[in-house]
Amino acid sequence: MVFFPWPVAAGLISIPYVYYFVLWTRPGWWMRFSKKTLRKDPCQSMYEVAMLGKLLQFSAFAGWYFTAAPAMSISEMVHLPVLRLLFGVVAVILGQSLNVGAFKAIGKEGIFYGCRFGKKIPWCTAWPFGGSYSVRHPQYVGSCLSVLGITTLLATNAHVEAGIVWLSGSWILWWVLAAIWEDNI
């Protein structure tokens, strides 16, 4: 089996964020390209390309994980220390709850930069953007929690030595950077 070092996987995982940054900072280009070349709404075409980006990210992580070291078996996972197992499962559940909640609250056009493409996206004050238990950038916080939870559940000592903490940390850093540029650019 061919093993590629974690920085290669991290580089592949970063590619969609370059795309997101370009769309955030140059929305007019994407609007023209989507409408004239793809003949699609820019939010819809962003969604479609973003799903390919997710496939790339998950493939890079899985490809790295399964070649870097032997994968953790289900029997090993259920015998993890209770706090580690609990933290990992709760982080994934909370993370995905925030992701689903964000999508339900603002829809595809809100998630996929409709405000940058000239669409009127009403300001959302409902959960997870407002109200009790809300957080700033719920989709990004949810993604960070999901990566952290999955890493907590899947990391073996061999994966830690091979760089899973660095790989997951770099993935989380991209979400942090996305929140920063959305707030400041």
Side-chain angles (χ1 to χ4, degrees):
M1 212 176 283
V2 176
F3 166 70
F4 52 97
W6 73 264
V8 173
L12 292 170
I13 287 169
S14 74
I15 291 171
Y17 298 99
V18 174
Y19 166 70
Y20 301 150
F21 182 78
V22 169
L23 268 57
W24 188 260
T25 59
R26 303 279 186 258
W29 167 81
W30 186 253
M31 289 170 61
R32 288 187 300 279
F33 178 75
S34 291
K35 289 176 183 175
K36 291 181 181 175
T37 306
L38 301 176
R39 300 191 187 288
K40 292 186 178 189
D41 173 79
C43 293
Q44 178 63 32
S45 56
M46 180 185 178
Y47 164 78
E48 291 170 7
V49 174
M51 292 304 103
L52 291 174
K54 291 292 169 213
L55 180 62
L56 172 66
Q57 289 177 318
F58 294 134
S59 297
F61 184 86
W64 177 87
Y65 180 82
F66 289 111
T67 60
M72 181 180 290
S73 69
I74 298 295
S75 64
E76 289 173 304
M77 192 179 295
V78 297
H79 289 98
L80 287 172
V82 174
L83 286 179
R84 179 176 166 185
L85 188 60
L86 185 64
F87 177 82
V89 169
V90 168
V92 170
I93 290 170
L94 286 176
Q96 289 308 299
S97 295
L98 287 169
N99 278 325
V100 170
F103 203 92
K104 283 185 174 184
I106 62 175
K108 187 184 289 186
E109 290 185 345
I111 295 290
F112 294 102
Y113 293 2
C115 64
R116 302 299 280 189
F117 301 139
K119 297 182 184 253
K120 299 283 186 206
I121 309 296
W123 192 256
C124 182
T125 57
W127 185 86
F129 292 93
S132 299
Y133 310 108
S134 65
V135 294
R136 190 158 179 77
H137 296 288
Q139 181 192 11
Y140 299 169
V141 172
S143 295
C144 293
L145 284 169
S146 295
V147 169
L148 187 59
I150 289 168
T151 301
T152 300
L153 292 171
L154 295 181
T156 64
N157 288 339
H159 285 102
V160 171
E161 289 175 20
I164 196 169
V165 174
W166 293 105
L167 177 57
S168 298
S170 68
W171 200 346
I172 290 169
L173 179 61
W174 276 110
W175 284 117
V176 172
L177 291 173
I180 291 169
W181 78 57
E182 284 187 14
D183 282 345
N184 294 293
I185 295 178

